[in-house]
Structure formats: structure tokens, C-alpha cells
Amino acid sequence: MKKGMWRAVLYGVLLCLALGAAVWRLGGVFEGKQIIVPEVTFGAAKETKIPQGSYQRYLLLYQESDPVADTKLTLNSLEHALLYAKWPYDKLSFSEWAQAERDLDPYRSGAVIVIGERQAGLARPDVIARYVREGGGTLVMAMRSPDSPLNALSGVMGTPVFYERPIPGLHWRENLYPGMSEQNISQERFSSSALAVKLEPGVQVWAESLEGQVPLLWTKQAEKGRTLYWNTTGLQEKMMRGIFVESVLKAQGGGAKGAVGAQVWYIDDYPAPAYDRVSEGNTTGYTDTGFRMRAFNPDMQALAQRYGLRYSSGVIFDYNDRTAPPFELTMRDRNKKLYDLEVGLIRAQGELGLHGYNHLPLKLSYTEEEKAEYGYPAWTSPDAIREALRTARGLWPKEVHGALPTMYIPPSNVLSREGKLLLLEAFPEIRTISSIYVSNKAYAGYEQEFLPDEEVPRVMGTPRLTSGFVMEEDQLPDLYGGVGSLGIVSHFNHPDDVFHEERNRGQGWPTLRDGFEKLVQAVKERFPWLEPLTATELADRLHHYHAADVRFERSRPNRLEAYATPLAGPMFVEVRVDQPERWQVKEGGMIVHRDAKHGLLWVRMTEPHLVVEAAT
Ligand SMILES: [Zn+2]
């Protein structure tokens, strides 16, 4: 027998063994443990009338003519933070505030949030001070200002100057939020300019610069009310939205915010053609298909079973670089059994989304920088994209079986506007696009919000917050920032991460797998209430979440009420209280987790009126 044939026989035997093992494990998923599919949509939306009341409400007071871009960026990001927290707010520029005084009483259960670098011209600081001191309101300074007339009220002594050196990252001194305030944020992640301040005695510092010289976040009691000062320009970063909202909740002495309550685990390029060979970078000791059969698939399925995960995957039909027709399938020598097996594994518990006919982003041109970054050829014409998508649509029933995809993952998280419209034309079933939450826009990254697409609102954005098997400390603020902001974990991996030096960080599969388990475990320990959803289920839940009119009422001691109408599916409410163990739901939902260390509890709200009370 020729050497090649021996190899073929050997692989044949290995393949059978591997398939047997994989099927046996798959059997375990089906039989051993029931897959729990959380409820997303009620039979009918539940409605209520929200009575008049003094609800948590916020005022964003911003300097519209600031010369620095930070003011505008911070305002934009914090508006998203409030929207995601389901906090109603009003917006007022410094000049509107100067023209006519407003009653600040509606913000007594919430906060007045001031944004601007140059605040010297802020009119009526005495009215704001009275709202805090006599009204018991909360004032939040969301950007440092050397000349603010509100600095003294916030505990700043004298007139501060800018801290001249870069801030070497952020260190927490207070337990603000699970996970988030357990990590430092490095200088690479937290770029900020701060003031060199001298603070009054009695001020409580919640965060400082990594080497401790500069207080970055503090709070001060001012008679009946409180102030919170963010000595930074860093709140313009998306990852800071969660911690911002949490800091405001804590400063205002309790209250509540909304949460979507979902964990979505993506596997990109899965299933995708794989071959019985050892490709470059594969040092696993298996062939490419052997690795999937013997290691990746059984290990990922075992984790899914142990932690109740459900995977949302992005299907690829071919890795060719064709940008013009014909788009025939050139994957004939791929391992078809593996492809079928992986289709089955995902279908049994999660969602199969589209990643592409091939792995080329739907884009008709690239800049020089983008070319250097990705090396992808551009499509030759809109018709070529159309035809490739039509091919993918034709392949779906043959290769993936079942219903057409409702979710799309852009290859390399790159997508153009034309590409998006062509995609939705070819696949009108698509209800969500899962790209990325924070990208390098210089490289055409398709950055998204957790919001309906602006042009096609039926398509919801379900971006990914984090990626990789082994999370570095610097990525954790993205993970926990997402939970603090929206109550969402959204994470992606690739089966071939282990073959790529850049993505495996010099680690073999066992280390990567254990790193992923550590991540899943950390999420489960801190946030066991996050429900395992598929990407499309998350999209549906987000539609309901954004459609609901929500109010939180906290003006009576030992009682918190929430209204959400229409309530088309379950929603989560995070409540900040002193002793979470004393609290019980009176009506409208169920407490799903308590965290005494951080003074938090989470309620799964299933009726449009929720009442939570503390035993007295
Ligand atoms: Zn991919």
C-alpha cells in the first residue's frame, strides 16, 4: 500500500473513533441534561397605566460650545448609558439653562449630571447647590472642569490645575460592581486627563490613579444631598457606561435600573469547511479535522452542558477569495461528516447564523490602511455580492438544513452600508447583525450599539463585547461593563484560534479551553441570573426592552416600585440596597440573585408593575 493510502486508512479509523466519541457526547447533551430555553416573548404583551409619581429621572446639563471634543463624546456615550439603564432623562445646554431657570425637583430621585470642560459660565450654580443641599438631590460631575462653580460643592479645594502627566490607569477603592471594581483598568484602556486636586476632609474616594496620586472618583455628602465627581475625560468610552450608571446609583443612595439579562456565546467560522490535513500553525497533534472531532467539539459541548450555555454560530460555506461569479462550491474535499456533525451540535441547543458564502466582508472598496490590515480583495460589483449571497441561500437548505438564518455575523466584523442592504435584500429573514461593540473605526470595523439599525429598524444590533478563550485583565472591564450597563454578556471565539499565534497567545488547546471555562465560571458566579439566549432571542428581547416605557420609584423607605409597559417579555431590574437579604418581591416578579458585598439584588420582572419591599 502506498504511504498516502495508509494515511487515508489511518484517518478513516481515527475519524470513526472520533465521530463515535462525539456522537456519544452529543447524546449526553440530548439525554443527560435538558436544554433550558428561557422565555423571551409572552403570549400577549402586558400593559399598565403608569400613575403620576416622583420617579428616578435625570437631567443632562452640558456645555454645548466646549472647544474640546470630549464634551460631545461624553454626552453621547452617557445618553446611551441612560437609555440602556431605562432611565428617563432630559437634556439641557448651558445656554438653555442660562435663559430660563428650570425646576430641579423632578430629578430628586435621580440626578443632575453636568458635562463640560469649561464650566465657568454655568448660570445659577446656587440653584443647583440648593437642589443638593436642601432638596436632597444628587449632583454628578461627569467630566472634570478646572473652573466649575460647582467644584467647591463637590469637595474640591481652591482652583485646581490639570495633572500634567498621563493617568497611569485606574484603581478602585470601593466595591462598586461585581467584577468591574475587582480589576484595575490599565493606561492603555483608560486614557484620561484629570485635575490635580486637593480634596476636603470627609470626601470618600472611590477610585484613584494606579499609582495613587490622583483621585479619579469621589463622593461627598452635602447636607441632605450628595455629589459625585468623575475627575476624568474617560466617560466617553463605551466600557465606562456600566460603571458610570452603577456609580450614580450608589451615590444617589440606592434605586434601580433595567437589565436585559442575557449571555450569548458565539462561535465564528463554525461550521466551516475543514480538511484532513495539518494546516500551518496547527500544533495540536491532530489534523485540523481531528482537532475539531477529538478536542474542540467534545470540550465545547461539555462546557455547554456543565454551564447550560447555548452557542450562536456563524456558518461559512467556502474559504475561496472569489469576488466575481461563478460561485460554485469548491469545498468538495472538505470533511463533510464533520460539517454535518457541527451543524447538528449547534442546532440541538443554539442558533446557526450566516457568516458568508465565503469569508470576504461585504465591501466594494478598501482604503490603503484597510488593505494593509485585512488583505481581503474587494467585491467587483454589487451584483457579484448579490450572486454570492444567492449562492449561500441556495446552499443553506442542502448544507445546513432547517429554516433560513435570522442572524448574520460580518466576517472580521467588517461590513459596508451597501453590503448590509444587499444582505438584507438576499436574506430578508435576517433579524439581527452581530458585529462588534467597540472597533477601530480607522479599519472599517462595523461598530454597533444594542439598538435597532438606523436604516432598517427591524434589524437589531447585537454586537459582541469581548472575544478570545483566555481573557486578559484588560478585557475584563468590557465584559463587566456590559453587564453593568445592559445586563448582557456577548462573547465570541473561533475554533481555529488555537492555530493562530496572535489569538492563542502562545497557549495550547487545554490552556485555552480552561481559560474559557474560567470566564464562563466567573460570569456564572457573579451573575447567575443572565439567561443563555441565542443572538436572535437576544434581538427579540432587546426589541421588547427598548419598546417598554419604564419608571423606577424609590421615594418611600424600604420600598421600590417599577413600571414597565408594554411588557412583551421578561425584563430584569437591578436594585441597589443596603441589605439585599432583607428584601422580598411583593408583586410582579421574582428575586433571582442577591449580592450582599455590593448591595445588589436582581429581579426577573414578569408583570408590568413590580413591588419590592424590605422587612422592617
Ligand atoms: Zn470569521
Side-chain angles (χ1 to χ4, degrees), residues 54-57 85-88 109 255-259 550-555 560-563 571-574 605 610:
S54 53
Y55 301 110
Q56 273 176 238
R57 189 170 190 89
K86 300 301 287 183
W87 284 354
S109 289
K257 66 174 282 291
V550 175
R551 296 285 184 281
F552 300 109
E553 152 79 77
R554 63 177 195 100
S555 51
L560 185 118
E561 280 185 74
Y563 293 90
M571 177 185 135
F572 289 80
V573 176
E574 181 181 283
M605 185 175 178
L610 172 77

Side-chain angles (χ1 to χ4, degrees), residues 39-339:
E39 187 176 29
V40 172
T41 306
F42 300 138
K46 304 175 185 185
E47 291 186 54
T48 190
K49 200 171 169 321
I50 302 177
Q52 289 291 325
S54 53
Y55 301 110
Q56 273 176 238
R57 189 170 190 89
Y58 298 82
L59 176 67
L60 290 167
L61 193 55
Y62 65 98
Q63 166 61 293
E64 73 281 18
S65 53
D66 241 340
V68 293
D70 307 67
T71 302
K72 214 172 168 181
L73 294 169
T74 302
L75 173 68
N76 179 279
S77 198
L78 296 189
E79 277 194 71
H80 282 89
L82 302 190
L83 185 76
Y84 288 164
K86 300 301 287 183
W87 284 354
Y89 67 91
D90 303 302
K91 222 163 85 172
L92 212 55
S93 69
F94 277 19
S95 57
E96 287 168 320
W97 169 248
Q99 278 155 23
E101 187 182 329
R102 313 289 161 109
D103 181 10
L104 297 181
D105 232 36
Y107 311 109
R108 274 200 349 209
S109 289
V112 170
I113 300 166
V114 182
I115 306 166
E117 170 155 307
R118 294 293 162 192
Q119 298 183 11
L122 177 64
R124 305 178 225 282
D126 52 315
V127 174
I128 298 172
R130 213 174 320 129
Y131 150 84
V132 175
R133 290 206 177 101
E134 292 162 31
T138 304
L139 168 69
V140 179
M141 304 292 279
M143 206 173 133
R144 89 283 176 271
S145 165
D147 56 10
S148 176
L150 298 168
N151 278 349
L153 182 68
S154 308
V156 177
M157 295 168 77
T159 304
V161 294
F162 286 107
Y163 184 75
E164 275 169 16
R165 277 170 295 151
I167 294 295
L170 181 148
H171 168 73
W172 299 101
R173 279 175 53 177
E174 181 72 20
N175 294 323
L176 222 54
Y177 199 68
M180 188 81 184
S181 49
E182 294 162 35
Q183 323 282 149
N184 296 328
I185 308 180
S186 78
Q187 187 176 342
E188 286 72 42
R189 293 304 315 280
F190 185 75
S191 86
S192 169
S193 141
L195 300 173
V197 283
K198 196 159 182 294
L199 299 178
E200 274 174 28
V203 160
Q204 280 175 277
V205 175
W206 285 354
E208 62 194 5
S209 64
L210 256 185
E211 283 149 24
Q213 301 94 330
V214 186
L216 294 178
L217 174 64
W218 63 85
T219 178
K220 179 183 173 264
Q221 189 76 38
E223 293 176 37
K224 286 184 182 164
R226 231 173 215 293
T227 61
L228 179 75
Y229 202 107
W230 276 95
N231 180 19
T232 180
T233 49
L235 292 182
Q236 58 192 275
E237 303 292 338
K238 281 175 154 182
M239 72 160 168
M240 296 302 287
R241 290 173 182 171
I243 201 71
F244 171 75
V245 163
E246 297 298 337
S247 72
V248 174
L249 260 185
K250 194 174 164 85
Q252 70 188 33
K257 66 174 282 291
V260 176
Q263 48 178 313
V264 185
W265 303 95
Y266 294 86
I267 309 178
D268 286 14
D269 293 67
Y270 187 87
Y275 304 92
D276 300 324
R277 66 174 184 222
V278 177
S279 67
E280 205 191 323
N282 177 358
T283 57
T284 59
Y286 300 110
T287 61
D288 295 4
T289 50
F291 166 68
R292 299 270 275 266
M293 294 276 194
R294 307 278 299 272
F296 184 83
N297 288 338
D299 287 349
M300 292 297 276
Q301 290 302 319
L303 287 177
Q305 201 172 353
R306 202 169 306 144
Y307 297 96
L309 309 183
R310 296 166 66 217
Y311 297 123
S312 295
S313 81
V315 173
I316 287 276
F317 292 109
D318 209 307
Y319 278 109
N320 66 42
D321 270 353
R322 291 204 66 92
T323 55
F327 296 112
E328 81 280 12
L329 209 52
T330 57
M331 58 180 183
R332 263 174 220 104
D333 57 342
R334 82 202 147 124
N335 190 319
K336 173 86 164 79
K337 273 188 182 148
L338 176 65
Y339 202 90

Side-chain angles (χ1 to χ4, degrees), residues 268-269 355 359 411-412 494:
D268 286 14
D269 293 67
H355 198 32
H359 203 274
S412 300
H494 301 89

Side-chain angles (χ1 to χ4, degrees), residues 514-575:
D514 294 349
F516 185 57
E517 177 160 16
K518 226 175 106 189
L519 162 66
V520 168
Q521 230 167 12
V523 169
K524 193 181 170 79
E525 271 165 26
R526 295 183 174 99
F527 310 105
W529 51 278
L530 295 176
E531 298 184 336
L533 300 188
T534 65
T536 298
E537 288 166 358
L538 172 62
D540 290 348
R541 196 171 266 190
L542 278 163
H543 277 295
H544 303 335
Y545 188 76
H546 293 313
D549 197 6
V550 175
R551 296 285 184 281
F552 300 109
E553 152 79 77
R554 63 177 195 100
S555 51
R556 282 165 61 183
N558 296 316
R559 184 178 166 97
L560 185 118
E561 280 185 74
Y563 293 90
T565 186
L567 191 66
M571 177 185 135
F572 289 80
V573 176
E574 181 181 283
V575 188

